[in-house]
Structure formats: structure tokens, C-alpha cells
């Protein structure tokens, strides 16, 4: 006798949706394909989410939640934090492809999600605290530091080969860590 396990089905659906959306974006994604990947019926997708756009947003929120949880900020060592973000991006290229699609398809104002806003605010506050303790430079505003750390941490993702050729793969993480440490040194 089969048992119902909606949470497992939802998890499988979100995983399949990440794959589908990272490959095709929301406009090119097909519910029947992602349902098949998840091992559920296409109709069941709509019992979890009103439409494809709602599922797209749910995947984005899940990515933010998982990233915040898996790679917590260490405001006392922003270089190593950037290195761990870099590692995560390299280990999960589908996530950054998804985020690129999200930015393209949602645009700037529409892409503002409560999950991202809260995560950014918390990180900015932790950087400000590190600045007040003298661990991080106060010559740059906390928001600007966070923006620079995130940009440097993800600089090797979704880039053209000529850019990637500038730094050997075994030096990329070290370059990010060193750059962030120098940038944020008091």
C-alpha cells in the first residue's frame, strides 16, 4: 500500500524545478517535463503551486534559504566567507544559472523578494558590527562591502572562456579570498 508523503513530493518537485528552470528559465520551462523529473503528475504540480510563476518564486526562496543556511556569513573573516560562497557556486552551477534566469525574467523591482531582503539586511548588520569592533574597514559602507564580497565570490560563474583563462582554476578561490581580505582589512 502506497503512503502519501506530500513533503517528499514537494521536495522532489522543487529539485526538478531547479533543474528545469536553470536550463530553460520560467518562459521556456515546461510543467510536464519538470513533473516527469520529479516523478509526479503534472496535475499534482498545481496542487502545490498555483502556477509556474509561483513555483519559480518558490525555487528562488528555497535557494536563498539553503544558501544562508549552508554558507553562513562570518563577518570576522569575509575573505573565507567569499571563498565558501565561491565553492558553493562551483559545486552547484545550476543555482547560479537559475539566479541569472530569475534576474532576466523578473527584472530589478519585481525580483525583490522578502527572503533576499531579510538575508541581505542580516548580513549588512553583521558587517556593521564587525566594523564597530574594528575587524572590518569602516572606509566602505557595510552595504557596499557586502555587494563587493558577493560579486567577487561569484565572479567565476557564468563567464566566457576568455575571462576564465585569465586565472587558472586552482588559483581562483585563493584570488577571491585574498582580494576580499585586502578589501575589507581595517
Amino acid at each position: 500500500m502506497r503512503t502519501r508523503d506530500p513533503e517528499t513530493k514537494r521536495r522532489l518537485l522543487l529539485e526538478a524545478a531547479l533543474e528545469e528552470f536553470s536550463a530553460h528559465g520560467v518562459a521556456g520551462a515546461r510543467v510536464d517535463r519538470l513533473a516527469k523529473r520529479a516523478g509526479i503528475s503534472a496535475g499534482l504540480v498545481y496542487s502545490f503551486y498555483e502556477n509556474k510563476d509561483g513555483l519559480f518564486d518558490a525555487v528562488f526562496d528555497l535557494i536563498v534559504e539553503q544558501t544562508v543556511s549552508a554558507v553562513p556569513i562570518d563577518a570576522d573573516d569575509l575573505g573565507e566567507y567569499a571563498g565558501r560562497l565561491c565553492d558553493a557556486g562551483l559545486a552547484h552551477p545550476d543555482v547560479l544559472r537559475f539566479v541569472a534566469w530569475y534576474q532576466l525574467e523578473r527584472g530589478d523591482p519585481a525580483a525583490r523578494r522578502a527572503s533576499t531582503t531579510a538575508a541581505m539586511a542580516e548580513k549588512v548588520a553583521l558587517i556593521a558590527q564587525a566594523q564597530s569592533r574594528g575587524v572590518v574597514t569602516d572606509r566602505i559602507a557595510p552595504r557596499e562591502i557586502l555587494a563587493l564580497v558577493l560579486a567577487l565570490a561569484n565572479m567565476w560563474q557564468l563567464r566566457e572562456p576568455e575571462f576564465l583563462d585569465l586565472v587558472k582554476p586552482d588559483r581562483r578561490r585563493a584570488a577571491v579570498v585574498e582580494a576580499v581580505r585586502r578589501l575589507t582589512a581595517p
Side-chain angles (χ1 to χ4, degrees):
M1 177 201 270
R2 277 188 357 185
T3 60
R4 294 180 183 262
D5 187 357
E7 285 311 307
T8 297
K9 288 180 180 181
R10 181 186 305 271
R11 180 183 51 78
L12 292 171
L13 173 59
L14 289 169
E15 289 170 4
L18 173 59
E19 288 179 47
E20 180 74 10
F21 291 138
S22 71
H24 304 286
V26 72
R30 295 195 34 187
V31 171
D32 59 331
R33 269 194 314 242
L34 68 90
K36 185 176 180 180
R37 280 184 188 180
I40 63 174
S41 71
L44 189 56
V45 171
Y46 296 106
S47 72
F48 287 114
Y49 300 97
E50 184 177 335
N51 53 36
K52 191 167 59 167
D53 285 326
L55 178 56
F56 193 58
D57 290 338
V59 172
F60 183 85
D61 290 340
L62 179 64
I63 286 171
V64 171
E65 178 186 315
Q66 288 177 338
T67 302
V68 168
S69 160
V71 188
I73 188 170
D74 178 356
D76 290 348
D77 190 351
L78 290 169
E80 185 54 33
Y81 170 63
R84 288 184 289 113
L85 284 172
C86 182
D87 294 341
L90 291 171
H92 304 286
D94 54 336
V95 168
L96 289 173
R97 278 194 310 275
F98 174 89
V99 171
W101 276 112
Y102 197 87
Q103 291 169 341
L104 286 169
E105 297 197 38
R106 290 293 191 251
D108 184 39
R112 295 184 199 280
R113 305 272 308 152
S115 58
T116 309
T117 302
M120 294 295 182
E122 180 181 334
K123 291 173 187 177
V124 167
L126 290 170
I127 292 169
Q129 291 170 8
Q131 286 178 317
S132 69
R133 291 191 313 275
V135 178
V136 172
T137 184
D138 60 0
R139 295 183 313 273
I140 304 170
R143 290 176 173 278
E144 293 170 6
I145 289 175
L146 179 59
L148 291 166
V149 168
L150 295 176
L152 287 169
N154 294 311
M155 68 186 285
W156 306 118
Q157 313 306 321
L158 307 174
R159 297 304 305 246
E160 64 279 1
E162 295 79 11
F163 180 88
L164 294 173
D165 289 345
L166 294 172
V167 179
K168 294 181 191 238
D170 63 338
R171 283 284 311 139
R172 292 177 187 160
R173 183 190 199 280
V176 167
V177 171
E178 181 65 20
V180 170
R181 284 186 174 150
R182 288 177 183 234
L183 174 75
T184 60

